[in-house]
Amino acid sequence: MGEVWTLAEFSHGKLSSVSYELLNRGKNLAEKLNTALASVVLGYNVKREYIDELIARGADKVYVVDDKNLENFLVEPYAKVLIALIKEYNPEIFLAAATTTGRTLMPYVAVKVRTGLTADCTVLDIEEGTGNLLQTRPAIGGNILATIKTPNTRPQMATVRPHSTKPALPDRNRTGEVIYKKFDEDVFLSKSKYLRFIKDESQQVSLQDAKIIVSGGRGLGRPENFKMIDELAELLGGAVGASREVVDRGWKPYPHQIGLSGKTVSPALYIAVGISGAIQHIAGMQTSENILAINKDPDAQIFKIANLGIVGDLNEILPLLIEKIKAYKKKEAV
Amino acid sequence: MKIVVPIKQVPETSNVKMDPKTGTMVREGVESIINPLDLYAIEEAIRLKEKSGGQVIVISMGPEKALEAIKEAIAMGCDDGVLLSDKKFAGSDTWATSCVLAHAIKKIGDFDLVICGERATDGDTGQVGPGIASFLDLPLSTFTSEIISIDEGKIQVRRLVEGGYEELELKLPAVLTVVKEISDPRLPTLRGKLRAKGVEIPVWGPQDIGVDEENIGLKGSPTRVVKIFTPKVTREGEMITVNDEKSLEEAVDKIMEFLIKKELI
Ligand SMILES: Cc1cc2nc3c(=O)[nH]c(=O)nc-3n(C[C@H](O)[C@H](O)[C@H](O)COP(=O)(O)OP(=O)(O)OC[C@H]3O[C@@H](n4cnc5c(N)ncnc54)[C@H](O)[C@@H]3O)c2cc1C
Ligand SMILES: Cc1cc2nc3c(=O)[nH]c(=O)nc-3n(C[C@H](O)[C@H](O)[C@H](O)COP(=O)(O)OP(=O)(O)OC[C@H]3O[C@@H](n4cnc5c(N)ncnc54)[C@H](O)[C@@H]3O)c2cc1C
């Protein structure tokens, strides 16, 4: 039986926490299949502490490809390295996060190794009897869930929705094997060149990493009112989201848009303020762990998916909420 | 510039109805539209053509009905179209779909750019664009939000990633998938509609594009959808109505209690 692999993902020199979420998923699958769990790390100047962290969080093995050419993500060289590793070790399952990197790299790889890839899964399990991976994912804007199998080809590949599970916790006593692989220059040849990264200065916390997202909709009435959303997000250490209505009006730039034609997020808490809950908005946030909605219309669709719904005027509720959170934080600080 | 834009016809999902018994989508009375996220690809392609000349060709794999989608794209300003339609294409997953589209693009030949939507609103995978690039061994930029420049066989693009943007330079020909920020789609004009009526759209099958039948349709698809069901969308949510000072105070206290209990603060 081949191993269960997870792709460890770097973002700007740091291992991202989705890498540990994948280990959590992978551990469960590897145990059921009675096989080893391995992480694959591609990058440059990969610090030993990162490798140890992956082992502490469940990896039995870590494959490391450390090369200057892998400093920034470019699909062609990354894919070539992964394809070579897959051909050499024949993993049974290969998981990556459904981030912009995972969603670019995995389909490129799957085509070339001629295997199936399931997108943006929220549930993974092993089918009794066959040992096949059962991959469940939302489709049609979250209106349905589909379970998908890759019965005849290996590895069974899937991208996994970030935050759809908790990161694996570290156990400092765990040990694991580290395998360094080297590749010839020609593997890294690419018709693309990485130029630069431009940080979004308007976001302290990126939407995809945020534990809490506070989103505002047209119900805010005026762009100035968005300050309340920004302030609430900052107090909670969260990120700021927006409905399309807000983005189309220019109250917030496009990178903040949540929904069908924006980003898909799954934070621990999503706070929707003055958002009606149109199906295209819900498609981007309905797998959030908790949803709090504030809207003056008791019949707003958003309440159907909320854990806590407050029917009322946001102009009254937000200032008081902000005040109470400040008071609470002050009290906690002493 | 010769630009190929693959577009998918999808059901209008703004008010999707699910059959509670079978858990499948009710298709009757559901209108078919161009995948809304493909409109940004079409618009960007037309703009590039208007700026520097050339040709925009839309291609779509699907039933005969998908001809409507191609005609609409032509009415918006695309020049030509090709429909990929054959029983043998049915049941293709993203691997097989990318295979068919890549073969068709190769047959069209001599292209500079392939511009795809970010994802289709029904299958929702976003895998076909990267899949086409992989089949054709072409450089790829996904989640592209801006074309910065095109010259001397190279294109510079900006793509939306976690926490910001990235800029890449790709050699042409290249494949892009684009997000909404890249363009603001125009509506088809009356003149465009008239022109679209007159444009002959060839229909290609497996033989026309020289694709191995082992690689297409259900037979060529490594994945299988084994179950479709409706998620439980309703949560056991608690509702509080604010109508005076007292209930306002209570509602906000309730939020605080919620945040503390769930360890979110
Ligand atoms: C192809 C397609 C793609 C789309 N993609 C997206 C997408 O990615 N993301 C997205 O968000 N939308 C998307 N939409 C648009 C979507 O259909 C809705 O139009 C949009 O989500 C509505 O935004 P909203 O909730 O901010 O505004 P509205 O629907 O206007 O809702 C405003 C809400 O605020 C409430 N309100 C007003 N005043 C107050 C107050 N004082 N206090 C409290 N509540 C108040 C109202 O009761 C109302 O419910 C898409 C549409 C299409 C057709
Ligand atoms: C519920 C459900 C779940 C599915 N899950 C998976 C899965 O996880 N993995 C998998 O491999 N298959 C899956 N499929 C099959 C998949 O939907 C089809 O292969 C479909 O033809 C293409 O995938 P998509 O709709 O996700 O397109 P996407 O990959 O999201 O489309 C991206 C872009 O590619 C272009 N494009 C896509 N399809 C066409 C077309 N027919 N003609 C022209 N251009 C096109 C468009 O530019 C589009 O914007 C699933 C199908 C269903 C019904």
Side-chain angles (χ1 to χ4, degrees), chain B:
Chain B
M1 277 293 242
K2 186 161 163 186
I3 306 170
V4 182
V5 182
I7 63 169
K8 187 178 183 190
Q9 193 179 44
V10 299
E12 217 286 74
T13 47
S14 303
N15 36 43
V16 173
K17 295 204 176 50
M18 304 299 295
D19 183 331
K21 278 196 208 96
T22 58
T24 52
M25 226 174 84
V26 181
R27 298 236 174 206
E28 279 107 81
V30 180
E31 208 190 326
S32 293
I33 55 169
I34 295 180
N35 171 32
L37 306 191
D38 291 347
L39 297 176
Y40 308 111
I42 295 171
E43 176 64 33
E44 189 62 13
I46 298 171
R47 279 199 219 172
L48 286 175
K49 179 189 74 167
E50 286 171 347
K51 219 163 69 184
S52 43
Q55 185 192 12
V56 180
I57 305 165
V58 283
I59 62 171
S60 188
M61 183 185 90
E64 219 165 287
K65 199 172 155 44
L67 206 60
E68 295 162 9
I70 296 177
K71 291 270 182 183
E72 191 180 331
I74 292 176
M76 282 173 74
C78 297
D79 301 286
D80 293 292
V82 177
L83 176 65
L84 295 144
S85 195
D86 192 289
K87 276 205 297 289
K88 295 201 176 88
F89 292 145
S92 292
D93 72 354
T94 61
W95 195 98
T97 302
S98 311
C99 182
V100 170
L101 294 172
H103 276 81
I105 293 166
K106 219 187 265 171
K107 168 156 175 171
I108 290 168
D110 207 23
F111 58 93
D112 303 285
L113 269 182
V114 177
I115 310 182
C116 293
E118 182 210 326
R119 77 203 132 81
T121 55
D122 54 352
D124 235 351
T125 67
Q127 292 177 177
V128 171
I132 292 172
S134 187
F135 269 108
L136 296 173
D137 267 318
L138 292 179
L140 163 71
S141 166
T142 49
F143 307 97
T144 310
S145 61
E146 188 186 338
I147 293 178
I148 303 164
S149 66
I150 302 182
D151 61 350
E152 293 180 29
K154 288 189 200 125
I155 182 169
Q156 288 200 359
V157 293
R158 181 175 284 196
R159 61 191 290 263
L160 184 64
V161 298
E162 291 79 5
Y165 294 93
E166 244 172 39
E167 290 182 356
L168 305 179
E169 183 178 274
L170 317 176
K171 272 197 194 131
L172 295 176
V175 178
L176 312 180
T177 78
V178 300
V179 295
K180 169 179 173 253
E181 195 175 21
I182 200 163
S183 65
D184 196 359
R186 67 191 72 186
L187 293 169
T189 59
L190 197 59
R191 238 180 86 219
K193 281 183 191 163
L194 284 173
R195 202 182 79 78
K197 268 201 186 125
V199 177
E200 194 69 43
I201 311 292
V203 182
W204 292 349
Q207 269 121 38
D208 301 299
I209 55 173
V211 67
D212 186 342
E213 288 185 11
E214 293 297 312
N215 288 337
I216 58 171
L218 204 57
K219 195 157 58 160
S221 295
T223 65
R224 287 283 175 279
V225 177
V226 290
K227 195 168 107 189
I228 287 187
F229 53 109
T230 321
K232 197 187 85 195
V233 274
T234 349
R235 301 179 188 223
E236 277 101 70
E238 188 179 345
M239 295 266 276
I240 300 174
T241 304
V242 173
N243 40 30
D244 54 18
E245 288 282 320
K246 186 161 157 281
S247 53
L248 173 65
E249 196 67 34
E250 278 166 10
V252 175
D253 284 341
K254 190 81 204 174
I255 298 176
M256 291 306 292
E257 198 183 295
F258 180 82
L259 294 175
I260 294 162
K261 195 178 86 201
K262 304 257 181 185
E263 294 177 16
L264 292 163
I265 187 168

Side-chain angles (χ1 to χ4, degrees), chain A residues 216-221 242-246 257-263 273-281 294-297 300 312-315, chain B residues 12 14 36-37 40 121:
Chain A
R218 193 163 67 130
L220 281 155
S243 73
R244 188 170 96 170
E245 283 288 337
V246 162
Q257 186 182 316
I258 308 292
L260 188 71
S261 52
K263 285 178 175 149
V273 184
I275 291 177
S276 61
I279 193 163
Q280 296 92 351
H281 187 80
I294 301 173
N295 195 306
K296 70 174 181 193
D297 173 9
D313 186 347
L314 63 90
N315 296 303
Chain B
E12 217 286 74
S14 303
L37 306 191
Y40 308 111
T121 55

